[in-house]
Amino acid sequence: MNLDEFYRASGTLNPKLTILIAAGKHFLPVNELTIDKDSLLLGKTSQSHGKFATITLDQFMARTRQLPITTDLRTSNNHQLVFGFRIVNKSIVFY
């Protein structure tokens, strides 16, 4: 999935939804966005003890606005391409 696909799919969603990544049977908070070549890596800081809040959809949109819309979305731990998302309990979960 690239930014253009995500923008189009999430355009009508509540901007206060939090952003998570599916990791096995668990969801990890996204609180770190890193640019690597033509990809945006979605991850979490190594030790999150509640002081690093999960970013929301509106924060994600604001932080990625200047990136090319062809930028791929990938997970930071293994650089796997994100191929979709679903809504779970007021959160967007990338998988």
Side-chain angles (χ1 to χ4, degrees):
M1 170 177 268
N2 63 31
L3 280 175
D4 182 49
E5 294 166 329
F6 179 68
Y7 291 161
R8 286 185 286 129
S10 64
T12 60
L13 298 178
N14 181 342
K16 298 303 177 194
L17 292 172
T18 56
I19 308 285
L20 306 173
I21 299 172
K25 294 182 180 182
H26 303 285
F27 301 139
L28 302 176
V30 173
N31 53 21
E32 184 174 68
L33 302 175
T34 308
I35 298 170
D36 181 40
K37 299 178 186 171
D38 295 330
S39 299
L40 178 65
L41 304 178
L42 309 171
K44 70 177 213 73
T45 52
S46 58
Q47 294 297 321
S48 181
H49 295 288
K51 64 180 181 178
F52 301 109
T54 302
I55 65 171
T56 60
L57 178 58
D58 58 343
Q59 291 169 331
F60 180 88
M61 296 297 197
R63 293 177 187 181
T64 60
R65 186 174 303 139
Q66 300 301 320
L67 295 175
I69 59 172
T70 56
T71 302
D72 288 332
L73 298 175
R74 296 181 178 272
T75 59
S76 64
N77 60 342
N78 58 9
H79 294 224
Q80 180 179 353
L81 185 64
V82 170
F83 61 89
F85 70 90
R86 60 186 172 188
I87 306 299
V88 178
N89 296 332
K90 299 183 182 179
S91 295
I92 293 172
V93 180
F94 287 110
Y95 58 92

